Amino acid sequence: DAGVTQSPTHLIKTRGQQVTLRCSPKSGHDTVSWYQQALGQGPQFIFQYYEEEERQRGNFPDRFSGHQFPNYSSELNVNALLLGDSALYLCASSRLARTDTQYFGPGTRLTVL
Amino acid sequence: DQQVKQNSPSLSVQEGRISILNCDYTNSMFDYFLWYKKYPAEGPTFLISISSIKDKNEDGRFTVFLNKSAKHLSLHIVPSQPGDSAVYFCAATPGGSQGNLIFGKGTKLSVKP
């Protein structure tokens, strides 16, 4: 049984560019949450998708957007990249919008130059 | 303003001894607390949780204590094993099983043989 998978593993972009990160949830899970983990910090909640809708959102600007597909996989899009967007982006999946039983993927390391 | 604080960036203990990791929070609306463990190049893994209606929860070698009046929780690992060496994150949510998680910065535990 595959766990949460994320692609790509690493990504290098320049300021002003746009990036799309992808996440496939664990089998049987219907909810995907995205987190940003800057160096030396804990994960910070970006948003959660359930039933293809953004259900909750953290304190992130509109440059951060997402999507959930009918197969429950999800994308995180970041526009107009800033140097400060450099971080590990974690995807977590769960069932029925729960956050107490989330399974995390290994993350995508984004570097903005 | 950090709502969940882990004031010790690192902790070193001897194999077989007790490891105590501490976490403080400021938001009295938090009603559910979780601990995650993270190895390098992997996503965080859920370890143990506690609801605000309890003051203790045990799972094998891991026990979490909650002191609501002090807004403090701690994770005890007894006995500590070298495989426990990882970064431990404390997280809290005001929404029970469906609230978004607020993470601390983490404590790096090293268990020496």
Side-chain angles (χ1 to χ4, degrees):
Chain A
D1 174 29
V4 179
T5 59
Q6 292 186 243
S7 62
T9 305
H10 295 89
L11 203 51
I12 299 175
K13 292 286 188 178
T14 56
R15 280 179 296 174
Q17 285 189 311
Q18 179 263 344
V19 69
T20 297
L21 310 181
R22 295 176 175 83
C23 172
S24 291
K26 181 177 168 62
S27 177
H29 286 186
D30 55 15
T31 303
V32 172
S33 300
W34 287 92
Y35 293 82
Q36 180 195 66
Q37 186 180 8
L39 200 61
Q41 304 292 317
Q44 189 171 355
F45 176 75
I46 303 174
F47 42 54
Q48 180 192 70
Y49 278 85
Y50 173 60
E51 295 185 333
E52 301 181 50
E53 296 284 335
E54 184 182 289
R55 185 181 169 275
Q56 294 188 69
R57 188 179 183 93
N59 188 24
F60 278 80
D62 292 344
R63 299 187 297 108
F64 289 77
S65 63
H67 188 77
Q68 185 178 37
F69 299 93
N71 67 354
Y72 308 121
S73 67
S74 176
E75 288 182 349
L76 164 65
N77 300 292
V78 187
N79 294 321
L81 283 167
L82 303 174
L83 295 179
D85 295 332
S86 295
L88 180 68
Y89 288 85
L90 294 163
C91 167
S93 74
S94 60
R95 291 186 68 247
L96 302 174
R98 296 181 71 108
T99 50
D100 59 337
T101 51
Q102 292 182 112
Y103 289 77
F104 281 83
T108 293
R109 172 72 62 187
L110 172 65
T111 301
V112 182
L113 302 177
Chain B
D1 181 32
Q2 261 200 298
Q3 297 186 68
V4 177
K5 300 176 185 179
Q6 294 178 257
N7 292 319
S8 298
S10 63
L11 175 68
S12 182
V13 300
Q14 209 65 34
E15 181 180 5
R17 306 294 292 269
I18 184 172
S19 295
I20 300 176
L21 296 99
N22 294 303
C23 177
D24 297 295
Y25 62 95
T26 58
N27 189 339
S28 57
M29 297 300 292
F30 288 149
D31 59 2
Y32 199 79
F33 304 87
L34 307 90
W35 285 93
Y36 283 84
K37 177 171 71 173
K38 187 178 186 302
Y39 293 118
E42 294 182 13
T45 304
F46 170 75
L47 199 54
I48 192 169
S49 62
I50 187 166
S51 164
S52 59
I53 62 172
K54 295 185 175 182
D55 54 17
K56 178 181 174 182
N57 188 27
E58 278 183 272
D59 184 2
R61 297 185 297 113
F62 302 91
T63 303
V64 56
F65 295 91
L66 175 62
N67 182 334
K68 288 187 292 293
S69 61
K71 294 192 177 68
H72 176 84
L73 62 156
S74 60
L75 173 68
H76 293 212
I77 306 174
V78 184
S80 301
Q81 300 173 354
D84 296 328
S85 297
V87 177
Y88 288 77
F89 291 100
C90 170
T93 172
S97 64
Q98 294 188 326
N100 76 63
L101 298 180
I102 312 295
F103 282 85
K105 290 186 177 183
T107 296
K108 184 176 182 179
L109 173 66
S110 299
V111 180
K112 299 184 185 304

